[in-house]
Amino acid sequence: MKKGAVIFSTCFIAPALLIYTLFVMIPTLASAYYSLTEWNGIGAKIFVGLDNYIELFQDADYLITFKNTMLLVFYSLIFQVPVGLLMAYLLFRGLKGFKFFRTVYFLPVVIAPIAIGLMFSLFYNSEFGLFNQILESIGLGAWQKSWLSDMDVLLYAVMAPQVWQYIGLYIVIFLAALQSVPEEVLESAQMDGAGPFRTFFMIVVPMIWEVVFICIVLSLTGSLKSFDHSWIMTMGGPGVRSAYLGVYMYKTAFINSSFGLGSAISVTIVGVSLLFTVLFKKIANKTFA
């Protein structure tokens, strides 16, 4: 009986495991191997050990793109997940027409990032862009900028579309999680004198913490592999001032034909993603143990 159950379960797990192995594990291991070689994508691979990693950590452009990526991770985590959770809670607590707002908030998520990047490029245009026109119309013309050429705001202008686009994803995920919170628990908290603020942080958040953690990981990994918005808006330029690790990896591997170095960059992205995931998990376990 047990043997039959194991075989039955294996039959269902095997296809997913096979697909995951073919499209995730094997490419990841292959990238790890390529990162130890000098290879232009066509000729023979020359094993160089850790030379690619040593070169990376001495490369000023890599350090700039790494810093840019960490800034994107930071702003994504402090805006996407908290704003998504707060908006979801407001919708869950009885905002009229919440199904309409749920659809509106999720709409940007299903739009291609390239389209979002092109749209914001037009909004940022210094001559006819929407943002400068709004500033002019409300009497703040002195704040007008060439958003994609001013070095002081360039990186933040490129970050903004991505941070904004995916807030709707977390709203929908949190809305689904909030459906599992028993209404009796919330009513009991109100009867005991707990206000909305205390109910939210002391009852709701702990009850859906596993979902919150998943959203943190999704936001983290999504930011670390960012490419589309930066590429379509500025191609990471000028230089690498608005580039992320994904953009720098693409330029290194496919434009400069240095697949070994490009693979090393991709391995660092995976490594940082795993490190942050484990770190957040340990913090979460200590906080909500």
Side-chain angles (χ1 to χ4, degrees):
M1 185 72 176
K2 291 183 178 180
K3 184 178 180 180
V6 171
I7 295 175
F8 184 74
S9 301
T10 303
C11 290
F12 279 95
I13 295 173
L17 182 61
L18 178 62
I19 292 173
Y20 183 80
T21 301
L22 288 175
F23 293 101
V24 178
M25 292 304 299
I26 292 178
T28 301
L29 294 175
S31 292
Y33 168 69
Y34 294 151
S35 72
L36 302 176
T37 67
E38 183 179 330
W39 185 42
N40 62 6
I42 300 176
K45 304 176 186 69
I46 302 173
F47 184 80
V48 295
L50 298 177
D51 287 357
N52 286 328
Y53 294 96
I54 295 173
E55 181 180 345
L56 273 184
F57 295 124
Q58 294 176 345
D59 183 355
D61 286 347
Y62 173 80
L63 297 178
I64 291 173
T65 56
F66 186 86
K67 176 184 176 183
N68 293 346
T69 306
M70 292 302 102
L71 283 173
L72 177 63
V73 168
F74 174 74
Y75 286 112
S76 295
L77 288 176
I78 66 171
F79 283 109
Q80 287 180 342
V81 177
V83 172
L85 178 57
L86 179 60
M87 296 296 293
Y89 185 67
L90 292 175
L91 292 173
F92 173 71
R93 294 306 292 163
L95 183 65
K96 292 184 179 179
F98 84 94
K99 291 184 178 180
F100 168 77
F101 287 107
R102 180 181 61 188
T103 303
V104 170
Y105 292 144
F106 189 72
L107 186 61
V109 180
V110 301
I111 300 175
I114 291 177
I116 296 291
L118 288 173
M119 180 179 70
F120 271 80
S121 294
L122 295 175
F123 289 167
Y124 286 138
N125 188 280
S126 59
E127 296 181 4
F128 55 81
L130 178 63
F131 294 150
N132 279 347
Q133 290 186 13
I134 292 176
L135 290 174
E136 180 69 28
S137 65
I138 61 176
L140 296 176
W143 290 15
Q144 292 179 329
K145 294 181 181 293
S146 297
W147 300 94
L148 296 181
S149 58
D150 187 330
M151 294 299 103
D152 292 332
V153 298
L154 171 63
L155 180 60
Y156 302 101
V158 173
M159 287 181 187
Q162 178 168 348
V163 174
W164 164 80
Q165 181 178 6
Y166 294 108
I167 290 176
L169 172 64
Y170 302 108
I171 292 177
V172 172
I173 294 175
F174 286 133
L175 269 175
L178 288 169
Q179 307 300 317
S180 65
V181 178
E183 187 65 31
E184 311 86 66
V185 174
L186 300 179
E187 292 177 353
S188 177
Q190 290 179 344
M191 292 177 63
D192 290 340
F197 183 85
R198 191 170 185 180
T199 300
F200 178 72
F201 284 101
M202 302 300 294
I203 297 176
V204 175
V205 173
M207 291 187 71
I208 64 169
W209 175 250
E210 290 299 324
V211 177
V212 174
F213 176 73
I214 291 172
C215 289
I216 289 174
V217 173
L218 288 174
S219 180
L220 168 68
T221 55
S223 300
L224 285 172
K225 65 182 182 181
S226 297
F227 174 83
D228 307 79
H229 299 84
S230 173
W231 183 256
I232 200 64
M233 295 175 71
T234 63
M235 297 184 70
V240 292
R241 290 294 297 271
S242 62
Y244 305 131
L245 286 175
V247 174
Y248 190 53
M249 183 271 292
Y250 176 81
K251 286 183 173 182
T252 301
F254 297 102
I255 296 180
N256 299 332
S257 297
S258 181
F259 282 84
L261 197 58
S263 296
I265 298 172
S266 67
V267 170
T268 63
I269 295 174
V270 174
V272 172
S273 179
L274 290 175
L275 176 64
F276 279 169
T277 300
V278 172
L279 180 63
F280 284 133
K281 183 65 175 177
K282 286 186 177 294
I283 294 174
N285 289 340
K286 289 183 178 179
T287 304
F288 293 95

